[in-house]
Amino acid sequence: MTVTLPWQELPLNAFNEAQKAQCEAFYQILLAQNKTLNLTRITEPLEFLEKHLWDSLAGLWHLPPSLTIPPSARVIDIGTGGGFPGVPMAITYPDYGITLLDSTQKKVLFLQTVIEQLSLSSVEAIASRAEEMGQTPQHRETYDLAVVRAVSSPVTCLEYALPLVKIGGIALLYRGQWTEEEAAQLAQVAPQLGGQAIATIPYETPLTHSIRHSVYLQKTHPTPPQFPRRVGVPQQRPLSF
Ligand code: SAM
């Protein structure tokens, strides 16, 4: 049975009619594959609208005024899982060149189906680890924007993200709750990776009023060659000041 999305309950003006149809198609493929792939716990239509579509775009909507994303930005979504936030971004910003990165091959195969079925011509899905991508010349320091949602601790996510970002580019961490301690750790660690904390913007999701924080960092210097460290190390031994 086809389940349609209740757009009237959460109008998302970011999507035109054709893009809404792409979201519907994405949702159907996700529901069908979720049974075997365990891609997401968020499957109810309204929850999908709020916690996947709205939430994925909110980090771009809250961009601090001092930061800009070029119209044809190269974007990488690290640990994209079922395609969040990268696929909603790809639908809304078709001029972005988006790389969906995940270490789980079967999720990447699912994403390749999504890319094909939705005709997302400027999107690619790669099965690899962030630690390996960050040391690959073809990807290192080539992205205008790296986004990371629900992958690891803030410091670990930053070690995944900043090596991939070009100087002047942005690392955007999607967080739920946010503590003073996390903020202090991140601000202290960022310069070691060539970055600087710019702003943390708090907001709530529009229906369930869940707490969110978008954390923005800018790349100011080249990342030293030893970062990211080898696979597993950023998670096992997060950088400290
Ligand atoms: N970002 C998605 C979201 O918000 O719904 C998925 C989050 S899921 C909890 C975390 C994903 O990160 C998993 O699919 C996992 O395979 C991937 N992942 C974890 N560590 C990774 C790494 N070092 N490099 C690439 N992918 C990674």
Side-chain angles (χ1 to χ4, degrees):
M1 193 185 71
T2 302
V3 186
T4 53
L5 294 172
W7 296 100
Q8 69 287 355
E9 292 187 47
L10 177 55
L12 277 166
N13 297 331
F15 298 108
N16 62 31
E17 290 309 311
Q19 290 166 340
K20 283 183 185 171
Q22 284 180 303
C23 292
E24 300 269 354
F26 177 36
Y27 180 55
Q28 303 306 335
I29 305 167
L30 189 78
L31 283 188
Q33 303 266 321
N34 202 39
K35 292 172 193 140
T36 49
L37 291 183
N38 200 15
L39 297 161
T40 180
R41 282 181 292 111
I42 297 168
T43 53
E44 290 306 311
L46 196 52
E47 221 190 348
F48 177 83
L49 277 185
E50 183 192 35
K51 300 217 168 136
H52 275 332
L53 296 186
W54 188 94
D55 195 66
S56 291
L57 298 170
L60 300 181
W61 293 335
H62 291 91
L63 197 71
S66 67
L67 298 177
T68 48
I69 301 170
S72 310
R74 256 174 77 77
V75 179
I76 184 161
D77 178 10
I78 299 166
T80 186
F84 305 102
V87 170
M89 282 184 186
I91 292 171
T92 326
Y93 299 90
D95 292 337
Y96 286 1
I98 300 194
T99 299
L100 305 171
L101 171 68
D102 204 279
S103 52
T104 306
Q105 176 78 42
K106 61 186 181 170
K107 293 185 183 175
V108 171
L109 289 175
F110 157 79
L111 292 166
Q112 281 162 350
T113 307
V114 171
I115 290 168
E116 200 182 305
Q117 303 255 322
L118 271 59
S119 304
L120 297 173
S121 55
S122 60
V123 182
E124 64 174 350
I126 298 180
S128 180
R129 299 273 315 194
E131 299 94 315
E132 290 166 343
M133 291 282 279
Q135 293 292 358
T136 306
Q138 195 194 338
H139 294 280
R140 186 177 173 89
E141 303 201 321
T142 64
Y143 291 92
D144 298 289
L145 174 66
V147 293
V148 200
R149 191 182 88 158
V151 173
S152 190
S153 72
V155 166
T156 300
C157 289
L158 199 64
E159 187 170 346
Y160 292 159
L162 271 180
L164 290 160
V165 174
K166 60 170 84 156
I167 294 185
I170 301 163
L172 164 51
L173 311 185
Y174 283 70
R175 309 300 303 184
Q177 299 289 344
W178 186 243
T179 64
E180 294 284 326
E181 193 189 346
E182 287 174 317
Q185 279 174 351
L186 203 68
Q188 285 173 343
V189 161
Q192 292 182 54
L193 295 164
Q196 184 190 351
I198 299 293
T200 298
I201 311 287
Y203 49 88
E204 291 181 1
T205 62
L207 298 174
T208 56
H209 304 288
S210 307
I211 302 293
R212 295 287 186 271
H213 291 82
S214 279
V215 183
Y216 302 86
L217 299 105
Q218 190 163 36
K219 179 89 167 244
T220 51
H221 299 90
T223 299
Q226 68 268 32
F227 301 120
R229 292 167 292 166
R230 60 189 169 74
V231 167
V233 178
Q235 172 110 349
Q236 287 150 15
R237 289 193 281 116
L239 288 173
S240 59
F241 186 59

